[in-house]
Amino acid sequence: MTAPTDYAHLEDQFQARIDAEEKIEPKDWMPDKYRKTLIRQISQHAHSEIVGMLPEGNWVTRAPSLRRKVALLAKVQDEAGHGLYLYGAAETLGAERDDLLDELHSGNAKYSSIFNYPTLSWADIGAIGWLVDGAAIMNQVPLCRCSYGPYARAMVRVCKEESFHQRQGYEIMLTLARGTEAQKKMAQDALNRWWWPSLMMFGPNDAESKHTAQSMAWKIKRFTNDELRQRFVDITAPQAEFLGLTIPDEHLKYNEETGHYDFGPINWDEFWQVVSGEGPCNRQRLKARRRAHEEGQWVRDAALAHAEKRRQRQAAKNNQKVA
Amino acid sequence: MTLADAKYQYLLRMGDNALILGHRLSEWCGHGPILEQDIAMTNIALDQVGQARSLLQYAAQLEGKGRTEDDLAYKRDVMEYRNVLLVEQPNEDFAYTIVRQFLFDAFNFLLHKSLVNSNDEHLKAIAEKSLKEITYHLRYSSEWVIRLGDGTAESHQKIQTALDALFIYTGELLTPDAVDQTIFEAGIGPDLTALQAAYQGKIDEILQQATLQKPEVKYMQSGGKDGRMHTEYLGYILAELQFVQRAYPNMEW
Amino acid sequence: MSEKKNWPLWEIFIRSKNGLNHKHVGSLHAADAKMAIENARDVYTRRMEGVSIWVVESEHITASSPNQSESLFDPANDKVYRHPTFYNLPDEVKHM
């Protein structure tokens, strides 16, 4: 029996808690929109992790040394783990993992558009680790302080585990950059293809981003898209230089006045095209996820059926004892 | 056959088994029936590729020609590989994958239980570390055989089909040849014939719980471990595994 | 499948080393308790994070309600006598 005024009061109280940097926990009262925003963001994040397994998983069977193979396998496995932690965090909000997966499979849910680009050479594995994981870390570290407790805790675990991912990628790039001409070419080509999509990972410009203001007020988000993107460019440009590779942006230049790198315009048409499902690999990615889920159905059913049989047998045994 | 030759061959067999089965399992990564199992299967794949590295490093050292684990993994062709036929069989579906794993784990567990008593200190140390991992693998695959066998009608039928298809590759696991014999006589490894009863016992125990029928097999397929024969699948595995090294030879990665 | 059935959700508690309590680390899905333990081992102890695992099906956990948190937890606020600093002892008394 909540009168509208009470509701407004609750919202004020809620915002006051957020402003005081208190964490919100699953059973606490929260505005419906806060819950929905979180479910959307956390599940998109989870989807990104499991779809993100595909482009890299591609190269697990082709990794050029056994050391690289175990490192890549462990990394892709971590992504599965991160997806799992995140679905778990979404489930504390009353969502069910299976429903969230249905949304992904039907094409209604979004995931990071970067994973709709193909991995064509071994250097792509280096570039993904260096750039894509680098951008992801930039996004994720602030989420460890997110106002929603279970999400923040999941992110602490994710960030701790991710620390080796970027180093793994950069080490691959470094090896290639110091290698033969063919390897340098491979590395440069990978940088050319992954640079701009990596910048797009931070999302639309702040002026275009419809969720930013509210998410910042709720402390789900701590920095704007453009702030994070700028920080990424500032950190990454010198790393590229160290590799002796050229970032494919003729406008990229250090600005003494601002202390930041200026960079050229992002092709937002391409971004929206990929987000809308028309990127180079959107169809393949969804098909692979759908297929894994559908072909796994009988396995999941079998395990449940067996668990049920065991329960019944146990119950029958217990009854016998009583009788 | 000198003991040195036999030892090298023996290490290759173990290393190749671990590598090829780990490779097959790693093909599941990102495509598992549920996230939790994707992670579990990848753990086993990681264990196996890790074991392969230790074993192939040791093999390369024994060979004494300055080759590395990667030279052995990436620069041998099909007829130089010494893995058993079982591990190169394709994933097909989850039932095939589980049966292949179970039939191999049951053997591998017994083998490693013996190898922890090896008089070869290096192999003994590898076996001690691996045995812990393999004990878990066997438990994992056994439980899934039981779940699928005693699950739904569909899963029962699928895993029985897989068992019928793969059982013909179990023969060479415990059939000793000259290499095995030399290794046994030198006190490095077990008498394989002495492990046969325990192997069949484990299979029977699990199949019984899983309500599955042990296939009647007239002829076992063999030839993988002694290098006489492989199935055609191995060539495709190597084509993938070795692609980068073959396309860009003599480079550091 | 006429009706959708999913593996139930389990809450996972891990003892990171002997001498410490089990601590809630997250959740996962499993068909039964045994599988939940194994999945927990594979998911939550990949980096040697634990020596012991508890699993509880999520629906079997009864949680206190935040609406009652004032009546449940605030009364402990003024029970300062439960804390050692409530008692004044001369500095000369050691080891207490």
Side-chain angles (χ1 to χ4, degrees), chain A residues 104-163:
Chain A
L104 172 68
H105 298 150
S106 63
N108 289 329
K110 299 266 183 287
Y111 55 87
S112 186
S113 56
I114 192 90
F115 301 119
N116 292 313
Y117 290 86
T119 47
L120 302 177
S121 78
W122 172 248
D124 288 14
I125 299 305
I128 288 183
W130 172 36
L131 301 173
V132 177
D133 288 298
I137 290 169
M138 209 69 74
N139 266 323
Q140 288 171 351
V141 168
L143 287 172
C144 297
R145 295 189 294 127
C146 160
S147 61
Y148 185 59
Y151 191 22
R153 290 193 288 275
M155 289 316 299
V156 168
R157 196 170 258 278
V158 169
C159 288
K160 210 161 82 187
E161 297 186 353
E162 287 249 334
S163 56

Side-chain angles (χ1 to χ4, degrees), chain A residues 199 202-209 212 221 223-233 263 266 268:
Chain A
L199 293 196
F202 296 93
N205 287 132
D206 295 346
E208 311 287 323
S209 177
T212 295
K221 219 171 155 161
F223 301 97
T224 70
N225 296 350
D226 286 332
E227 284 169 349
L228 291 169
R229 186 167 17 242
Q230 182 66 55
R231 195 180 297 176
F232 175 74
V233 175
F263 54 94
I266 289 171
W268 291 112

Side-chain angles (χ1 to χ4, degrees), chain C residues 13-18 22-23 45 49-54:
Chain C
F13 301 81
I14 292 192
R15 186 201 296 287
S16 57
K17 61 177 188 191
N18 280 355
H22 285 78
K23 195 175 147 199
T45 67
E49 292 99 331
V51 295
S52 163
I53 300 172
W54 285 352

Side-chain angles (χ1 to χ4, degrees), chain B residues 148-240:
Chain B
L148 298 181
D150 187 26
T152 61
E154 183 185 11
S155 70
H156 179 89
Q157 180 254 319
K158 279 188 149 79
I159 192 160
Q160 184 69 57
T161 304
L163 186 63
D164 294 346
L166 292 173
F167 207 73
I168 53 168
Y169 298 110
T170 55
E172 70 175 323
L173 297 172
L174 290 170
T175 306
D177 66 356
V179 171
D180 297 314
Q181 195 57 31
T182 310
I183 291 297
F184 167 55
E185 283 161 11
I188 296 167
D191 172 10
L192 291 185
T193 50
L195 303 181
Q196 286 169 356
Y199 182 72
Q200 296 303 332
K202 182 70 187 175
I203 305 279
D204 290 340
E205 174 205 328
I206 299 300
L207 293 191
Q208 196 248 332
Q209 287 185 56
T211 69
L212 292 169
Q213 290 296 322
K214 191 156 145 183
E216 299 277 332
V217 176
K218 247 196 217 149
Y219 297 105
M220 287 284 180
Q221 295 295 318
S222 64
K225 73 175 181 181
D226 53 27
R228 277 184 296 116
M229 187 74 80
H230 278 284
T231 54
E232 290 172 345
Y233 300 115
L234 184 60
Y236 290 96
I237 293 178
L238 297 187
E240 228 176 300

